Amino acid sequence: MNSEWMSVIFVVIGLVLILVGADALTDGAAALAKRFRISNLVIGLTIVAFGTSAPELTVSILSAFKGSPDLAMGNVVGSNIFNTLLIVGCTAAIVPLHVPRSTISKELPLCILASLVLLFIANDMWFDGASENVLSHTDGFVLLAFFAIFFGYTIAIARNRTDDADDGSIKSMPIWRSVLYIVGGLAGLIYGGQLFVDGSSQIARSLGVSESVIGLTLVAGGTSLPELATSVVAAWKKNPQMAIGNVVGSNLFNIFFVLGCAASIHPLHVSGITLLDYAVMVGSAVLILVFSQFFQKRTITRWEGVVMTLCFIAYMAHLVAHA
């Protein structure tokens, strides 16, 4: 079997281990938190939110350590574009999305701000005249500071919520099994992440394309599978508006926490992510806000979902054409 096929196998096995590991870690940690009487809402805002972003976090940190910063940055930028244009677009094309008023007035503007912050601090050559684009330790700490503010905001919302009935969504399990799930989940994330990053890098080299393109497409799509699954299930259960909150929360988590952690641990010397890629990320968040606020107020309609999906297809076609 040639090396190209081995790389594909490594990517598939790594992705499976990442997704299974993230699910096991989330279930184990949530069950352990529930046993210590932590509220379901706080568990959802912290442990479950971390669980759905664990694939991006694992891949980005390991990519940074293995000398593949374009893979790390492409993973986050591509995941946010994937989440916004494809997941929201496809969901709205099937079932129109009702957007809560608080999401329009607070979360979506914050998501746009996060995208603009990343656009500014990741383009030193454009804005500062530097010789290369570097997401430094300082930039990482700035992103983590923004995350701390966002996290404080979500906890403040949780304190104002009184409806915390046990809906059975969090599995109960003995402490030993919770610990086993957590340890096994972490092992799956780490080992799977190594296979995924190594395989993706090898595929990029064998195809003669940049790691940034692989990160923006293959890696971004793979690590966004938890968000895609959550949104599809929500739409299937006639609760499509959950998709919008899932996407906005994931995008904020990716920029502030995932890149914040990666850059704080190891500076990211990024060369392959273009201004167009960042602009599409910012524009996709703006598009959700525009569609939510205008035309049919507080609703993303089917035709708007189709437009978003077509925008994603056009962007992917551009990447492939210029790979």
Side-chain angles (χ1 to χ4, degrees), residues 9-68:
I9 291 174
F10 283 164
V11 167
V12 173
I13 294 176
L15 182 58
V16 170
L17 286 175
I18 288 173
L19 297 179
V20 172
D23 187 58
L25 175 63
T26 302
D27 286 348
L32 195 62
K34 185 178 180 180
R35 182 170 289 274
F36 287 101
R37 302 185 184 280
I38 298 175
S39 73
N40 288 354
L41 184 59
V42 172
I43 292 172
L45 290 170
T46 55
I47 295 171
V48 176
F50 172 81
T52 57
S53 291
E56 286 89 347
L57 180 64
T58 304
V59 170
S60 291
I61 290 179
L62 289 176
S63 296
F65 273 121
K66 289 177 176 288
S68 300

Side-chain angles (χ1 to χ4, degrees), residues 208-221:
V209 300
S210 65
E211 289 185 346
S212 60
V213 172
I214 294 294
L216 288 164
T217 55
L218 173 66
V219 177

Side-chain angles (χ1 to χ4, degrees), residues 214-239:
I214 294 294
L216 288 164
T217 55
L218 173 66
V219 177
T223 55
S224 293
L225 285 178
E227 288 85 357
L228 178 61
T230 301
S231 299
V232 169
V233 170
W236 182 261
K237 293 183 176 180
K238 308 300 181 184
N239 189 21

Side-chain angles (χ1 to χ4, degrees), residues 53-277:
S53 291
E56 286 89 347
L57 180 64
T58 304
V59 170
S60 291
I61 290 179
L62 289 176
S63 296
F65 273 121
K66 289 177 176 288
S68 300
D70 284 333
L71 203 62
M73 182 66 79
N75 174 35
V76 168
V77 174
S79 291
N80 282 17
I81 294 171
F82 187 96
N83 290 347
T84 307
L85 292 181
L86 188 65
I87 293 180
V88 174
C90 286
T91 305
I94 298 170
V95 182
L97 289 176
H98 172 74
V99 184
R101 192 183 304 275
S102 63
T103 299
I104 295 174
S105 62
K106 297 182 178 67
E107 282 87 2
L108 278 174
L110 184 58
C111 188
I112 295 172
L113 173 63
S115 301
L116 289 172
V117 167
L118 180 58
L119 169 66
F120 179 76
I121 66 176
N123 285 279
D124 301 320
M125 294 175 65
W126 183 267
F127 293 107
D128 299 330
S131 58
E132 63 175 339
N133 294 325
V134 181
L135 206 64
S136 63
H137 287 304
T138 302
D139 294 330
F141 294 140
V142 168
L143 291 175
L144 288 178
F146 273 108
F147 174 75
I149 295 171
F150 167 66
F151 188 74
Y153 165 72
T154 59
I155 295 301
I157 291 177
R159 287 176 179 171
N160 293 329
R161 289 274 301 275
T162 57
D163 53 322
D164 195 40
D166 190 353
D167 58 2
S169 60
I170 299 176
K171 303 174 185 176
S172 297
M173 59 181 74
I175 293 180
W176 67 267
R177 185 178 294 176
S178 299
V179 174
L180 184 63
Y181 271 45
I182 293 171
V183 173
L186 285 172
L189 282 171
I190 294 170
Y191 184 64
Q194 290 176 340
L195 288 178
F196 191 80
V197 171
D198 290 343
S200 299
S201 299
Q202 183 59 42
I203 289 174
R205 286 191 291 268
S206 63
L207 293 178
V209 300
S210 65
E211 289 185 346
S212 60
V213 172
I214 294 294
L216 288 164
T217 55
L218 173 66
V219 177
T223 55
S224 293
L225 285 178
E227 288 85 357
L228 178 61
T230 301
S231 299
V232 169
V233 170
W236 182 261
K237 293 183 176 180
K238 308 300 181 184
N239 189 21
Q241 63 268 24
M242 185 182 294
I244 203 81
N246 176 44
V247 162
V248 172
S250 176
N251 285 8
L252 288 168
F253 226 86
N254 287 345
I255 293 176
F256 290 153
F257 188 70
V258 173
L259 281 182
C261 286
S264 298
I265 296 171
H266 195 287
L268 302 178
H269 296 260
V270 182
S271 60
I273 310 299
T274 67
L275 272 175
L276 175 64
D277 301 319

Side-chain angles (χ1 to χ4, degrees), residues 84-85 88 108 112 280-295 300 304-305 307-309 311-312:
T84 307
L85 292 181
V88 174
L108 278 174
I112 295 172
V280 171
M281 178 182 64
V282 175
S284 61
V286 172
L287 198 60
I288 288 187
L289 183 61
V290 170
F291 283 165
S292 302
Q293 188 75 334
F294 303 102
F295 306 110
I300 300 178
E304 290 168 342
V307 169
M308 296 176 71
T309 304
C311 288
F312 176 80

